[in-house]
Amino acid sequence: MTGHLKQREPKQMKDRGLISEECKHHSQSSGGVTSTDPMLQRVAVVGAGAAGLCAARHILSRSGRFAPPVVFELSENVGGTWCYDERVGKLDNGLPVHSSMYRDLRTNLPKEVMMFPDFPFEPQLSSFLPHQEVQRYLESYCQSHGIRPHIRFNIVVESVKPVNVTTEGEVEERTAWEVTSSDSSGHQKTETFDSVFVCSGHYSDPHIPLIPGIENFKGKVLHSHSYRFAEPFAGQSVVVLGAKASGLDISLELAAVGAQVTLSHRRPRITFPLPDGIQQSSSVEAVEDDGRIRFQDGSVTEADVLMFCTGYNFRFPFLDAAQLGLDIQDQMMSPLYRFLVPPAFPSLFFIGICKIICPFPNFNCQVQFALAVLEGSVTLPPRVQMEDEVRRELQEKLERGVQHRHLLILDQDQWEYCNTLARTAGFPLLPTVTRSLYEEVWRQRQIHPKNYRKLNYRLISDLEWELIN
């Protein structure tokens, strides 16, 4: 990778000329600090949430192979969705509020399971943390690994597109990436990188399912993305759609301030005791002409509020999915080899796409596998083989009855997934205790949905944990 690069758009082969000096030397005002060594691979990281910080930390630890990363962050701080913002809707700059955090959220995983394996939380903290502590943890992680100088804050990534390049002295073309970004004044800048890590998360674009007749509803309609605290709903009747983590948590908060909650979902009926003020119903089927909500079982109810706790869409406005050989839908994207890599472009990595996982340990495994690919210690199969493997795995899930929108849920498959990445790339497996404690907490959550967060745990070893209260 010495000398000048000649860039051409794939297929179109349009001459792009040489990488400008601006690409190699970032001004101090941009927040970027980079190496000018042409032998080092240059990586762009989109997003400075947990996944982006993890990517930056591991890139920085491989200074012999990689230049310091350039991390593009939309907001003015690190933390991604953990960075609580009481505002909803749009910001002063016209961009939508990114965070979906609500004021009283506490983690539903203990810190002993949540943590990056090489960076524990402060031991004196409770196991189940308010979101402010997770934000502080991510800020500490950023500080400890010297990541902040490499983050450009308040920057919008406008486009990430592949270009064919040839390096002086080399015969074969390879793929590089043109990243175009803009700052708060609208000034645009285009730079070229060897690889891009997409770490922009998927908990900011609300998924709102189609409800026939919803225009007839006379009350307030919102998504949990715009929910911050329960008090404004005191004394109101609220239909909550969705009974996964946020739906159940928000229902409990609403009931605690005197709201009458109808928890509408298609999951098996919740069997543990729910507090007064929460009743269950089947899924919402439609809104009648008179504004009443009709459920699948035929029953109807009036409500002041209809709240969607129905998850989020995948949204990458800076990518051209078709150009990348990807099909990006609301709650599904494919093909991604190992849930990470588009087979057509194996220097582009999506970190944290999977659902129902231990997020930080999962990110940690994915990032290290991706860097092993870039370093050459892991060789990916040919494109056709990767596409066939993805197709086969997804088809097997569909045949087992998994719904299309749930194909990226890992849940119990996450342990073997992470260990496969670790074995392939030669980094440490997740400690056995992570799975053991995760499964214990899941069991406690089914029995005591209101009280399981009162428990505290301590890790004794990589194999054992103990309950300490």
Side-chain angles (χ1 to χ4, degrees):
M1 291 176 58
T2 58
H4 296 296
L5 299 183
K6 295 179 182 177
Q7 308 165 67
R8 289 179 285 189
E9 291 185 8
K11 303 206 179 353
Q12 295 176 350
M13 300 300 183
K14 181 180 178 183
D15 183 23
R16 287 287 186 178
L18 305 178
I19 292 183
S20 68
E21 286 303 304
E22 184 183 43
C23 293
K24 295 181 179 178
H25 304 277
H26 298 296
S27 67
Q28 196 64 32
S29 64
S30 73
V33 179
T34 63
S35 166
T36 58
D37 186 343
M39 295 299 293
L40 300 178
Q41 295 190 56
R42 298 191 65 238
V43 181
V45 177
V46 182
L53 294 175
C54 181
R57 172 257 187 278
H58 284 288
I59 292 167
L60 287 167
S61 74
R62 292 159 168 79
S63 58
R65 300 298 299 270
F66 298 94
V70 177
V71 184
F72 298 91
E73 171 52 39
L74 193 64
S75 72
E76 59 191 9
N77 203 357
V78 302
T81 199
W82 291 99
C83 192
Y84 176 71
D85 192 330
E86 201 158 283
R87 295 171 296 180
V88 298
K90 291 187 182 286
L91 301 172
D92 294 341
N93 60 10
L95 294 173
V97 171
H98 179 79
S99 179
S100 298
M101 202 59 52
Y102 42 96
R103 185 191 66 194
D104 298 325
L105 180 140
R106 291 176 66 201
T107 62
N108 60 9
L109 291 175
K111 70 182 194 296
E112 293 77 15
V113 163
M114 274 192 71
M115 68 183 192
F116 290 115
D118 58 355
F119 197 82
F121 282 84
E122 294 291 334
Q124 75 276 8
L125 295 173
S126 301
S127 285
F128 296 91
L129 302 171
H131 61 81
Q132 294 92 336
E133 292 294 348
V134 181
Q135 173 67 12
R136 277 192 277 272
Y137 170 82
L138 293 174
E139 290 171 353
S140 176
Y141 183 86
C142 179
Q143 177 72 22
S144 297
H145 294 298
I147 299 168
R148 187 171 285 271
H150 309 289
I151 304 174
R152 302 182 192 173
F153 293 101
N154 298 307
I155 296 292
V156 176
V157 173
E158 304 286 357
S159 75
V160 173
K161 66 178 182 178
V163 291
N164 287 335
V165 299
T166 53
T167 304
E168 196 172 283
E170 292 183 356
V171 177
E172 291 190 7
E173 289 186 331
R174 58 186 177 83
T175 298
W177 297 90
E178 274 191 354
V179 177
T180 300
S181 60
S182 61
D183 61 20
S184 54
S185 68
H187 173 70
Q188 284 199 345
K189 183 177 187 177
T190 298
E191 301 158 273
T192 304
F193 296 88
D194 298 293
S195 175
V196 176
F197 282 55
V198 178
C199 304
S200 51
H202 54 91
Y203 292 106
S204 60
D205 187 53
H207 176 72
I208 300 182
L210 178 65
I211 305 292
I214 194 168
E215 66 279 1
N216 299 322
F217 186 67
K218 295 177 172 59
K220 181 177 183 179
V221 177
L222 75 158
H223 189 279
S224 58
H225 174 66
S226 299
Y227 170 84
R228 292 295 180 263
F229 35 81
E231 287 83 356
F233 303 94
Q236 296 188 318
S237 56
V238 184
V239 172
V240 173
L241 279 72
K244 291 186 179 177
S246 62
L248 185 55
D249 269 3
I250 290 172
S251 294
L252 293 170
E253 287 193 8
L254 294 171
V257 299
Q260 294 299 309
V261 179
T262 301
L263 183 56
S264 165
H265 61 96
R266 58 168 61 95
R267 297 162 67 83
R269 190 170 181 82
I270 295 170
T271 55
F272 49 74
L274 291 169
D276 292 340
I278 300 180
Q279 62 175 356
Q280 294 184 73
S281 79
S282 57
S283 57
V284 171
E285 190 170 77
V287 178
E288 304 278 5
D289 292 343
D290 62 4
R292 293 184 303 165
I293 296 170
R294 185 175 80 244
F295 300 99
Q296 197 171 34
D297 62 6
S299 62
V300 294
T301 189
E302 293 182 353
D304 300 306
V305 180
L306 184 55
M307 186 183 300
F308 291 93
C309 295
T310 45
Y312 295 85
N313 299 323
F314 290 117
R315 186 170 174 271
F316 306 102
F318 48 86
L319 296 176
D320 182 338
Q323 183 184 28
L324 300 174
L326 289 172
D327 178 20
I328 301 179
Q329 301 178 24
D330 287 349
Q331 296 188 306
M332 178 62 189
M333 59 186 301
S334 185
L336 287 178
Y337 180 71
R338 302 283 168 91
F339 303 111
L340 261 172
V341 191
F345 291 95
S347 55
L348 176 67
F349 302 93
F350 292 84
I351 307 300
I353 289 298
C354 297
K355 303 175 184 179
I356 316 295
I357 54 171
C358 289
F360 299 179
N362 182 277
F363 304 162
N364 199 60
C365 290
Q366 289 190 319
V367 165
Q368 291 182 89
F369 179 88
L371 292 176
V373 170
L374 293 177
E375 289 173 327
S377 57
V378 168
T379 302
L380 296 178
R383 173 180 176 175
V384 172
Q385 186 176 330
M386 287 193 281
E387 289 174 341
D388 286 346
E389 184 174 319
V390 173
R391 194 178 301 112
R392 188 168 59 251
E393 288 177 353
L394 296 181
Q395 186 59 38
E396 287 172 359
K397 280 190 170 185
L398 289 169
E399 289 171 358
R400 294 202 311 263
V402 177
Q403 294 182 5
H404 186 266
R405 62 195 178 90
H406 292 156
L407 287 173
L408 293 181
I409 289 177
L410 281 188
D411 200 8
Q412 290 303 309
D413 294 335
Q414 66 178 300
W415 316 111
E416 184 54 34
Y417 169 73
C418 286
N419 287 340
T420 296
L421 297 183
R423 292 189 194 100
T424 305
F427 59 85
L429 304 181
L430 288 181
T432 306
V433 70
T434 302
R435 176 176 184 171
S436 172
L437 183 50
Y438 177 95
E439 291 177 346
E440 169 64 14
V441 170
W442 185 89
R443 189 178 68 84
Q444 292 290 344
R445 196 159 62 226
Q446 308 314 302
I447 303 170
H448 307 292
K450 285 186 68 177
N451 298 321
Y452 75 95
R453 292 184 176 98
K454 295 179 181 178
L455 301 175
N456 286 291
Y457 303 93
R458 179 164 51 223
L459 302 183
I460 301 171
S461 69
D462 282 353
L463 300 174
E464 293 182 283
W465 54 268
E466 64 178 352
L467 186 66
I468 58 175
N469 64 338

